[in-house]
Amino acid sequence: MNMLSKISAFHLDILKEIGNIGAGHATTALSSLLGSSIDMKVPDVNIVHFDQVTERFGGEEALIATVFLRIEGDAPGSMFFVLTVEQASKLLTKITGKAIDLKKPPYDEMAISAFQEVGNILTGSYLSSLADFTKLNLQPTVPAVGIDMAGALIHYGLIQISKESDYAVVIDTVFLESNAVSSLLQGQVLLLPDPASFQTIFSALGVPLDE
Amino acid sequence: MNKTVQMIKVGLAEIKTARPPQLLRTSGLGSCVGVVVYSERLHIAAMAHVMLPNSHLAREKDFREGKYADTAVQSLYDLLSHHDSFGKFKAKIAGGAQMFQFQSNNELMRIGKRNVIAVKEHLHKYKIELVAEDVGGSIGRTIEFNPETFVLSVRKVNAEMLEI
């Protein structure tokens, strides 16, 4: 039987709490990195059909900038830090002190490596707090940067899942700069656990899925 | 003659057929491969959005045939044979990129290339002639096929529209 069909509202709430803990730590890390106050919204946890995963970014053809990594270890999955190219350009202009425009290549090398590092810090602190909370061994791969159509990039994180299902559990947290008048910076972290990881995560927390 | 163009969207792992004035479209192909098989004689085409190279990888019982290269090509062939049993079919493909460059032992990282190889292998098996392709690289693609003209348009970010 399909693993996802066993996930109850109760389990979705637990995943929301996992998102909360992970993103809470990531927010602190991002705030100190940027030297400004960053807030997060309550994570959104949904079971989403593949064709709808990119809707939150404006559809399959929307241009996004993302940092992607795989989680290896006890509970494998995929993780993305996603911004619109406009937001990513603003973020990197702020960090590098140079005018950065990611709308057209060639991209500034320093900006790309800075972006990779921001993604690294953000997802790293998210994952390490998750590992602490669940006592699971979760190792991130070295993150990779992609700037292209949302479909082309995000669907990559669905490939592992697609062997088992046409649906993914998406744990989605929005980050935004809190003190800016017109919120200057906004990004999202997506956590997409592989289907087999749910039983591991829920068992580690003492609330296994029904067999 | 006034024909209204009707766009048929092919989602992930889906297969759809079309005849003029319909167009087939699938968007945001990364490592996935868009496969079009068509009959020139009848102006009928079918498109699949392939995600993985082989249905042996499936850990699910019921899956959409378009998801895997082997089952997708077989269904495309069956669909067209149903309309044109003596037909010689042609194919055009696009996609199969490697969107992220990084070191990992995970075989999935080369999935785009493997998808393209598998699609070609199965087209060959069904004696479907591959007449055009735009594959590989590290760029996303949106494709549109017109069964009237047999032109496959390939759109990429920051690049000219390509017609193959």
Side-chain angles (χ1 to χ4, degrees), chain A residues 49-51 60-61 63 68 103-105 141-142 148-149 151-152 155-156 159-160 162-166, chain B residues 9 12 25 27-28 31 52 59-60 64 67-68 99-100 102 108-109 111 139-140 142 155 157-158:
Chain A
H49 190 267
F50 278 4
D51 288 327
E60 282 152 348
E61 291 189 89
L63 194 56
F68 167 69
K103 278 205 187 115
K104 273 200 162 65
T141 61
V142 175
D148 209 302
M149 296 177 193
H155 292 163
Y156 206 75
I159 288 169
Q160 193 69 38
S162 71
K163 293 177 189 173
E164 299 187 36
S165 172
D166 290 338
Chain B
K9 188 178 162 12
L12 285 165
R25 176 190 172 92
S27 41
S31 59
L52 288 157
R59 293 190 215 127
E60 52 184 350
R64 293 200 266 181
K67 193 182 279 184
Y68 303 95
M99 298 307 296
F100 297 100
F102 60 140
L108 277 181
M109 295 311 151
I111 198 75
I139 192 160
T142 285
R155 196 182 77 78
V157 172
N158 291 314

Side-chain angles (χ1 to χ4, degrees), chain A residues 2 43-44 53 62 73 79-81 101 105 116 135 139 157 163 170:
Chain A
N2 192 324
D44 198 23
V53 174
M79 208 167 185
F80 290 93
F81 175 45
D101 182 9
Q116 187 173 352
K135 304 283 184 276
Q139 300 293 332
K163 293 177 189 173
V170 183

